[in-house]
């Protein structure tokens, strides 16, 4: 079966991640949309690596997963600080930089 | 229809349904569970692409560690349902159709542009070759990631520790 099926699925998942990032109001759900986009990119990496017969794509996926883990730890710590200070997870109330 | 195509279609349907459910659910814990199903379906797709190591890492690290962290934070903060906001007129009449158009166009263009690509015969001993690459060609980035993780741990500790003046918060109020 052609690789383009996997790439089309990856594009759909990435698009859904973008839509969630734009439309959702809860900061944790926005964060989960970012993880969804990272997963879609991982699928594209592995599909391309399979199409080219190389293993470098899988190495990239490995690094993406490591960076996503670090990002989740720091990002969720930021979410905890925001929730503690503002008593809200709604991004429309987190407007400290707004004039 | 080959069995591979059938498995692909089932897993792809699960992944897309889970991703749509992440967006549609209003409670963050439901979104998190949906995202876990997406990740498990993607691990199945990785198996279909003959990358067993990444499939295992996907389940252990992504579904097992990162999403548990998400669920833990949702429960720690006692996060309630998302507040319903009336979408502005522009978001409703321009945003939603444009988002659906973006999805279809992206999938169609990328799928059409790469239609001639076919999978190469799989390399023998994929995991062995992967570890050779990781510890020979990519050993310097690999060591750098350990420093990255150390910095991330320190950053998370510094950010999330309770400051001097902040009183401990008891109570069961929901944060939305």
């Amino acid at each position: 079966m052609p690789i383009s099926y996997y790439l089309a699925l990856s594009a759909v998942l990435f698009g859904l991640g973008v839509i969630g990032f734009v439309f959702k109001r809860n900061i944790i759900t926005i964060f989960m949309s970012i993880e969804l986009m990272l997963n879609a990119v991982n699928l594209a990496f592995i599909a391309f690596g399979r199409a080219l017969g190389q293993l470098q794509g899988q190495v990239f996926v490995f690094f993406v997963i490591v960076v996503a883990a670090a990002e989740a730890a720091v990002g969720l710590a930021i979410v905890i600080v925001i929730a503690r200070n503002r008593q809200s997870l709604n991004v429309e109330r987190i407007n400290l930089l707004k004039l | 229809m080959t069995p591979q195509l059938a498995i692909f279609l089932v897993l792809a349907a699960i992944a897309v349904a889970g991703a749509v459910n992440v967006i549609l659910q209003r409670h963050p814990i439901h979104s998190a569970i949906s995202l876990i199903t997406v990740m498990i379906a993607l691990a199945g797709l990785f198996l279909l692409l003959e990358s067993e190591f990444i499939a295992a890492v996907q389940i252990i690290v992504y579904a097992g560690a990162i999403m548990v962290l998400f669920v833990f934070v949702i429960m720690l903060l006692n996060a309630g349902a998302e507040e319903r906001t009336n979408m502005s007129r522009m978001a409703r009449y321009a945003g939603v159709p444009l988002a659906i158009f973006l999805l279809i166009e992206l999938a169609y263009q990328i799928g059409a542009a790469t239609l001639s690509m076919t999978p190469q015969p799989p390399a023998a001993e994929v995991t062995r070759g992967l570890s050779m690459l990781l510890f020979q060609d990519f050993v310097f980035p690999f060591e750098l990631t350990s420093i990255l993780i150390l910095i991330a741990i320190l950053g998370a500790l510094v950010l999330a520790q309770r400051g001097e003046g902040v009183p401990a918060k008891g109570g069961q109020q929901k944060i939305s």
Side-chain angles (χ1 to χ4, degrees), chain B residues 32-109:
Chain B
I33 305 282
S34 305
L35 193 55
I36 292 173
T37 61
V38 175
M39 282 165 178
I40 291 171
L42 279 177
L45 287 172
F46 292 164
L47 275 182
L48 210 57
L49 283 167
E50 276 146 14
S51 43
E52 297 86 8
F53 177 70
I54 297 295
V57 166
Q58 171 88 4
I59 287 188
I60 295 171
V61 176
Y62 246 125
I66 297 180
M67 289 318 293
V68 166
L69 200 61
F70 271 94
V71 173
F72 178 74
V73 167
I74 291 169
M75 299 218 166
L76 179 75
L77 295 178
N78 200 8
E82 191 178 39
E83 287 172 21
R84 193 182 285 280
T85 51
N86 294 323
M87 278 199 280
S88 64
R89 199 174 294 139
M90 195 162 145
R92 190 176 301 148
Y93 294 117
V96 176
L98 276 176
I100 294 168
F101 175 74
L102 170 80
L103 270 185
I104 295 169
E105 188 70 14
L106 257 183
Y108 175 72
Q109 291 294 344

Side-chain angles (χ1 to χ4, degrees), chain A residues 24-25 39 50 89 93, chain B residues 25 50 58 82 120:
Chain A
K24 297 300 277 184
R25 290 282 164 269
N39 267 290
R50 187 79 173 76
L89 290 174
R93 299 226 190 105
Chain B
Q25 290 293 335
E50 276 146 14
Q58 171 88 4
E82 191 178 39
Q120 302 286 317

Side-chain angles (χ1 to χ4, degrees), chain A residues 42 44-64, chain B residues 46 49-55 120-138:
Chain A
N42 283 351
F45 265 129
I46 289 195
F48 273 124
R50 187 79 173 76
L52 298 175
Q54 290 181 343
L55 289 174
Q56 271 87 348
Q58 298 190 25
V59 177
F60 272 116
V61 170
F62 183 77
F63 284 124
V64 168
Chain B
F46 292 164
L49 283 167
E50 276 146 14
S51 43
E52 297 86 8
F53 177 70
I54 297 295
Q120 302 286 317
E125 297 175 322
V126 172
T127 308
R128 179 184 161 85
L130 182 61
S131 56
M132 286 295 179
L133 266 182
L134 201 58
F135 288 107
Q136 285 175 350
D137 294 4
F138 291 91

